[in-house]
Amino acid sequence: NGGGATDVAPGPKGGAMSCAPTVVNGTHASACVWADANFVALTLMSDVTSIPAAAKLARDLRNASEK
């Protein structure tokens, strides 16, 4: 369930990032995936239905995890 993916800014670390709305066990959510030469990661955020908000959370997680 959900809609198509939207390319979003990957942040200062580069690469590519896309986010899409989805439904998990009846709960609306967003999934974002980013990839570059060193990492591929997927985030799933329940109750986050705004693509810009999901992208910001994914970038924040990425920045914190790739230090």
Side-chain angles (χ1 to χ4, degrees):
N1 287 335
T6 300
D7 290 340
V8 296
K13 296 183 184 285
M17 183 183 291
S18 295
C19 297
T22 190
V23 178
V24 179
N25 294 329
T27 300
H28 291 276
S30 293
C32 294
V33 62
W34 74 79
D36 62 22
N38 299 306
F39 292 97
V40 175
L42 170 73
T43 60
L44 180 62
M45 296 156 275
S46 63
D47 294 325
V48 178
T49 57
S50 160
I51 294 301
K56 181 187 181 318
L57 289 169
R59 279 189 299 270
D60 289 348
L61 177 64
R62 180 182 186 191
N63 289 335
S65 65
E66 290 187 14
K67 288 188 176 185

